[in-house]
Amino acid sequence: MSLRSRLLWLTILWFALVMLVFTITFSVFVRQSNFSDYERELTLEVNNVWHAAELNPSDTLMNNNWEDYALFTRSAIAFFNSQGQITSLDETNDFPDNVWNQVESKLSQALLASRLSLKKSIVRLPDITYVENGQLKSMMALARPIVYPTQEVGSVVVVGPTEQIYSKVSSVMHTLFWIDAVSLLIFAAGLYTLLQRGLRSLVQLIDGIRTVEWLRSNRVPVPEGPQEIVSVATSINHLLDKVERGVEEQRRFIADASHELRTPLAIVAGHANILRRWGHTNESVWEPAVHHIVTEVDRLQNLVDRLLLLSRLENHQEPVESMMNTEDITSLLQQMADDARLLRPDLRVFEQIHIQAGLAIRMDRNDLRQILVILVDNAMRHTKSGGQIVLAANREASRLRVSVQDSGEGIPADDLPHVFERFYRAKEGRDRNSGGAGLGLSIARQLVEIYQGQIYINSRLGEGTTVHLLFPLLLEKGTSQSNKFRLKSGNLSNSPMEE
């Protein structure tokens, strides 16, 4: 069942239930109201007869046109003595025929059971039932004590049929049911029209979702309609954009990984063929061939190791519960500077460490070393002979800033937004001798973000590049201020550097 049909039928059923409850409640109210009115009329009649009998007590022993008092109520007036026997009876012409024999005995029993006395006023007796034309009907009976001329205490009783009340209630219910049926039809027709118009936007959205082909950059048409439907369509399009970007990144990753693997494999295969043909006896052939094979195998091993590390970082985001204090950070920066001087003696390498004792960050030494190795390696790779590299550390409010600055070639502005992407290399450094695999900065960013830090870069083409790392400092008891100073990579306008 469609949403429109379900809404239509459920709403109609609910409306019908409400109308039914209203009809029954109103009918009960009409019944009670009519019974109360009829009882008041019979009470007035009893009082009038009682006063007339008080003026002429002898009339209680004979019929004296008492029906004149009962014309409006279509009732019967009877006088009973103390033994429950009738002494006088008058019926109106509208009073049901041939039912008094059924009623008399029941009235006598009711009077005797009620034990009327002069202290009592009007008493309503239990309703008297009788059978007429095979149907069970009822009468309302009211009684009032009266003194006979013989000083005997009797009763004046007024009995009125309630058939007209039930007839009126039945007529009201019949009318209400017809009104309910017509109202229900009108309501159903109006609701159907409203649902047709109201759900038109949703139907258009569903049709658009069925026909969209997100791989071809199609999107769900945003229908004109309620803001909720527009929001759903917009959210679906945003989701499709994210999925498409994810698929595109996966395709690019596969293509880049294939490219990075194809070249060293081709070199290894080429030199292996040379060895197979001429390397058996010619030392000048097999020595350089083996050297190239070993070099490319090392490159492949490094690439695979970094891919595995990147995968591990993406799947396990829990940081190592370790801490580095001022001495640890200082010694690590000095060690990295010494390694850079050893590897590139043609460069000037400086340390600018301005952090006081007692500071600490939540960071594993091996992870911070991995980050600095990537950054320093990039700096050495892209800085020409005679240039300089500066490793700096200083405190900024509740954060520790660590930076690696070089005076190298810099990064083109068009490449800055992409350098954190896997396998991305700036156009200036796409050759295999000067550029790596394009995974270093992706690994560095993952490691920094695991420790709730931030990494970003300032760079100018031809002037050099500075990579900044920001880490939240720990309080004296070892609690991190990261919740208050939470920073994420990429929030600043400056973009990070390439590997």
Side-chain angles (χ1 to χ4, degrees), residues 14 16 153 233 245 296 333-334 384 406 445 468 482 497:
W14 174 251
V153 178
R245 284 196 297 269
E296 295 304 322
L333 289 175
Q334 291 173 347
K384 297 180 180 179
D406 64 64
R445 183 179 66 175
H468 301 274
S482 57
M497 129 187 202

Side-chain angles (χ1 to χ4, degrees), residues 149-221:
T150 60
Q151 300 303 312
E152 181 183 4
V153 178
S155 305
V156 55
V157 179
V158 175
V159 181
T162 57
E163 180 183 358
Q164 71 273 16
I165 297 177
Y166 287 106
S167 177
K168 184 183 294 185
V169 172
S170 177
S171 177
V172 169
M173 291 188 67
H174 185 74
T175 303
L176 287 176
F177 277 125
W178 274 108
I179 294 174
D180 291 348
V182 174
S183 301
L184 191 61
L185 289 176
I186 297 174
F187 176 78
L191 180 63
Y192 180 80
T193 304
L194 291 176
L195 287 176
Q196 283 281 89
R197 295 182 179 180
L199 296 178
R200 187 178 302 164
S201 301
L202 183 59
V203 172
Q204 293 175 356
L205 176 62
I206 294 173
D207 293 339
I209 294 174
R210 289 174 178 172
T211 57
V212 71
E213 297 181 13
W214 58 270
L215 286 176
R216 299 182 181 179
S217 298
N218 291 344
R219 291 297 177 264
V220 176

Side-chain angles (χ1 to χ4, degrees), residues 280-293:
H280 297 287
T281 57
N282 192 342
E283 185 177 347
S284 62
V285 172
W286 66 263
E287 282 190 357
V290 171
H291 172 74
H292 286 296
I293 289 174

Side-chain angles (χ1 to χ4, degrees), residues 329-330 333-334 337 341 348-355 388-395 400-405 466:
I329 298 170
T330 302
L333 289 175
Q334 291 173 347
R341 295 187 188 99
R348 293 170 294 156
V349 181
F350 303 98
E351 308 115 64
Q352 296 179 357
I353 303 173
H354 305 289
I355 50 177
Q388 71 175 20
I389 296 175
V390 179
L391 281 75
N394 62 285
R395 176 179 180 175
L400 174 69
R401 178 185 295 272
V402 178
S403 61
V404 178
Q405 179 183 5
T466 304

